């Protein structure tokens, strides 16, 4: 069937044959060689007939994903930042006011079900989004679950990251290693003393064994970053003067993804940045317009390999400054 012939109307015999070949190829999964043998033609003719069937609208191919997922934005975002996975979810109607809508956690829970393998060590950092994710988990292979940061408020541990670790371990049937301590301590000496307490030290021993981690991202503003909210006004002003644009697991970043205010980490119960950088899969869960710039900053740091976000943040990220280097090139951007 020549190119000129394919532009003409197909006759009934050609239509029947094209439909039969298309059915064999697209629905029954037969190869072009198998179809050629069945119809007594060359595999090149089968290829031309299938191509013509598409051109003449005899065959329509639809790529369908659940309505809440935006496949086009997801793929564009993955390519722009060089991520391993990017999943973009439709923003809720009140996206401007709601950072990290709960449906992000639900989608992230499904993603973890794909990424975690039996025998992995899953690390969960403090954050509303990771708490929502853990609550939505319904499947995980057997794995160890460890908490990567202290909690925002030790008095709410049962309703926060400690419970998230317990929930994930319950679903997987693996061991849980929670951390019963605040994320931020008043001074370095207190933080060092807590790190040597038996339960906390045991959790820290797993940090270098983590294979998949889930983290949250915060903007440097009230209500959007738990670390920001835990500091005094004087401390906030100090770190703001260093150009802080984002926070993740008590690590601070400027708009270019460079770490700043490293002294804060000495007072915190948290996984170190270089340990995060060595984890094969680090999934950030963050969305909303108010967090969009912060997400961009953290992605530029190279610490994150995958992202679950929403269309509101994704639209900002696709036009945020110069194209960043690939995230999977995970060298420290400030060389330290």
């Amino acid at each position: 069937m020549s190119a000129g012939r394919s532009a003409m109307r197909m006759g009934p015999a050609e239509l029947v044959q094209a439909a039969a070949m298309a059915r064999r190829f697209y629905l029954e999964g037969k190869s072009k060689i198998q179809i050629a043998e069945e119809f007594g033609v060359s595999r090149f003719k089968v290829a031309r007939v299938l191509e013509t069937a598409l051109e003449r609208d005899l065959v329509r191919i639809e790529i369908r994903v659940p309505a809440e997922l935006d496949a086009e934005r997801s793929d564009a975002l993955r390519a722009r930042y060089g991520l391993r996975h990017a999943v973009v979810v439709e923003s809720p109607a009140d996206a401007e006011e709601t950072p990290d809508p709960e449906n992000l956690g639900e989608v992230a829970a499904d993603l973890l079900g794909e990424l975690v393998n039996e025998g992995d060590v899953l690390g969960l950092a403090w954050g509303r989004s990771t708490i929502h994710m853990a609550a939505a988990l319904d499947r995980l292979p057997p794995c160890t679950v460890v908490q990567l940061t202290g909690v925002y408020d030790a008095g709410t541990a049962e309703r926060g990251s400690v419970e998230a670790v317990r929930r994930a371990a319950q679903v997987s049937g693996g061991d849980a290693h929670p951390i019963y301590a605040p994320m931020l301590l008043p001074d370095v000496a207190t933080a060092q003393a807590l790190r040597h307490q038996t339960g906390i030290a045991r959790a820290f021993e797993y940090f270098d064994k983590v294979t998949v981690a889930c983290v949250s991202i915060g903007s440097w503003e009230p209500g959007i970053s738990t670390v920001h909210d835990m500091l005094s006004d004087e401390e906030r002003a100090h770190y703001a003067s260093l150009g802080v644009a984002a926070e993740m697991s008590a690590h601070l970043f400027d708009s270019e993804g460079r770490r700043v205010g490293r002294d804060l980490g000495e007072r915190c119960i948290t996984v170190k940045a270089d340990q995060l950088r060595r984890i094969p899969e680090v999934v950030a869960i963050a969305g909303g317009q108010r967090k969009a710039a912060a997400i961009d900053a953290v992605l530029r740091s190279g610490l994150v390999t995958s992202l679950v976000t929403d269309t509101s943040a994704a639209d900002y990220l696709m036009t945020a400054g110069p194209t960043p280097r690939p995230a999977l090139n995970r060298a420290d951007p400030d060389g330290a």
Side-chain angles (χ1 to χ4, degrees):
M1 193 177 293
S2 68
R5 182 74 180 95
S6 67
M8 300 170 60
R9 187 173 68 177
M10 298 175 72
E14 291 174 313
L15 283 169
V16 170
Q17 184 184 68
M21 288 183 176
R23 181 177 298 279
R24 303 291 194 280
F25 186 73
Y26 292 108
L27 300 183
E28 298 176 12
K30 291 188 176 181
S31 70
K32 293 174 183 176
I33 293 176
Q34 289 174 315
I35 297 170
E37 291 176 352
E38 179 182 348
F39 286 87
V41 297
S42 72
R43 62 185 177 90
F44 301 106
K45 179 172 182 179
V46 173
R48 289 195 297 271
V49 169
L50 293 174
E51 182 180 352
T52 301
L54 285 171
E55 291 175 354
R56 306 301 295 168
D57 211 22
L58 185 63
V59 173
R60 296 183 184 181
I61 298 175
E62 290 186 66
I63 300 173
R64 303 181 67 181
V65 296
E68 69 270 16
L69 299 182
D70 191 311
E72 185 175 348
R73 282 186 175 93
S74 297
D75 188 56
L77 198 59
R78 178 200 57 75
R80 174 172 168 80
Y81 286 89
L83 297 168
R84 186 170 290 120
H85 305 283
V87 182
V88 178
V89 181
E90 284 292 336
S91 300
D94 58 350
E96 292 187 12
E97 302 298 327
T98 308
D100 300 337
E102 290 190 23
N103 63 336
L104 293 186
E106 296 168 1
V107 173
D110 287 340
L111 179 60
L112 272 195
E114 294 182 57
L115 299 181
V116 177
N117 296 306
E118 183 173 352
D120 275 348
V121 177
L122 171 62
L124 301 181
W126 158 263
R128 285 179 291 264
S129 56
T130 52
I131 292 169
H132 292 155
M133 180 276 300
L137 282 171
D138 59 10
R139 62 186 176 99
L140 272 181
C143 64
T144 298
V145 186
V146 61
Q147 192 170 324
L148 295 178
T149 64
V151 298
Y152 175 42
D153 180 352
T156 63
E158 294 301 313
R159 301 189 301 277
S161 48
V162 169
E163 180 55 30
V165 169
R166 286 178 170 175
R167 167 66 182 166
Q170 180 184 36
V171 172
S172 75
D175 293 333
H177 295 277
I179 293 177
Y180 294 95
M183 181 188 296
L184 179 66
L185 282 303
D187 53 63
V188 175
T190 304
Q192 288 178 336
L194 275 178
R195 292 188 194 107
H196 287 94
Q197 287 191 358
T198 303
I200 297 174
R202 186 178 298 115
F204 269 55
E205 289 174 359
Y206 278 92
F207 286 2
D208 286 327
K209 303 174 185 177
V210 173
T211 50
V212 180
C214 280
V215 299
S216 297
I217 295 172
S219 298
W220 199 244
E221 60 178 299
I224 311 296
S225 165
T226 52
V227 172
H228 176 281
D229 293 346
M230 286 189 283
L231 296 172
S232 67
D233 289 341
E234 183 179 355
E235 289 171 323
R236 291 174 193 141
H238 165 66
Y239 290 117
S241 72
L242 301 179
V244 175
E247 169 266 317
M248 180 181 71
S249 302
H251 301 294
L252 309 181
F253 305 86
D254 68 11
S255 61
E256 298 299 319
R258 296 181 293 256
R259 288 181 58 215
V260 296
R262 298 187 182 212
D263 61 302
L264 180 65
E266 298 176 6
R267 294 169 48 197
C268 292
I269 302 297
T270 185
V271 62
K272 294 179 180 178
D274 61 347
Q275 290 174 312
L276 278 173
R277 201 176 299 278
R278 292 194 295 269
I279 295 173
E281 186 73 78
V282 179
V283 181
I285 313 167
Q289 290 184 17
R290 294 176 66 185
K291 280 194 176 183
I295 297 169
D296 175 63
V298 172
L299 291 182
R300 290 175 185 272
S301 76
L303 290 175
V304 170
T305 62
S306 297
L307 175 69
V308 177
T309 190
D310 62 357
T311 53
S312 176
D315 286 344
Y316 173 92
L317 293 171
M318 289 307 301
T319 58
T323 301
R325 64 179 185 162
L328 298 182
N329 171 18
R330 303 179 75 188
D332 197 330
D334 46 5

